[in-house]
Amino acid sequence: MLHHIIVKWNEQVTDKAEMAERAAEAFAEATAIPGVTRCDIIPSCSDRENRYDLMIRMEMTQEALVLYDASPMHKAWKENFTKYMEKKAIFDCEK
């Protein structure tokens, strides 16, 4: 399955490229979670007000989603990045 996290940064974020780099660091060990085979950090190529700023796309098994949700990496992501999010969407789909 593909797990997408789509983020719109809030007004506290003045450097979206830096936030993408920080997100890449936060997810650098994603494939260490059993069943997670890929993790891509994809910044938006447009800077329009009505667009989201970042997408994290992870390829994983259904079973890995439970492991990811419980992982220290996921908890750290939420703890360290939620305060910078105006909104977030999560979308899962088959490949």
Side-chain angles (χ1 to χ4, degrees):
M1 70 177 275
L2 295 175
H3 175 72
H4 302 81
I5 305 164
I6 307 167
V7 175
K8 172 81 171 164
W9 300 124
N10 65 26
E11 69 283 343
Q12 292 182 66
V13 174
T14 57
D15 189 340
K16 294 176 183 177
E18 178 188 350
M19 290 302 284
E21 289 174 18
R22 288 181 57 197
E25 291 171 6
F27 282 85
E29 300 298 320
T31 56
I33 298 170
V36 177
T37 56
R38 185 175 179 148
C39 182
D40 300 310
I41 307 299
I42 307 165
S44 177
C45 64
S46 62
D47 192 25
R48 301 182 74 173
E49 183 61 33
N50 64 343
R51 300 291 195 270
Y52 282 76
D53 300 307
L54 181 76
M55 179 171 66
I56 300 163
R57 181 179 57 211
M58 301 171 72
E59 188 171 340
M60 66 176 69
T61 63
Q62 286 282 346
E63 296 78 19
L65 184 58
V66 175
L67 298 174
Y68 163 70
D69 280 343
S71 73
M73 184 190 75
H74 182 241
K75 290 175 182 167
W77 160 252
K78 291 174 82 171
E79 182 178 321
N80 296 321
F81 287 84
T82 299
K83 61 188 165 202
Y84 299 113
M85 296 179 194
E86 180 178 319
K87 52 188 169 179
K88 173 179 76 169
I90 307 295
F91 182 76
D92 297 327
C93 63
E94 293 299 323
K95 294 188 265 182

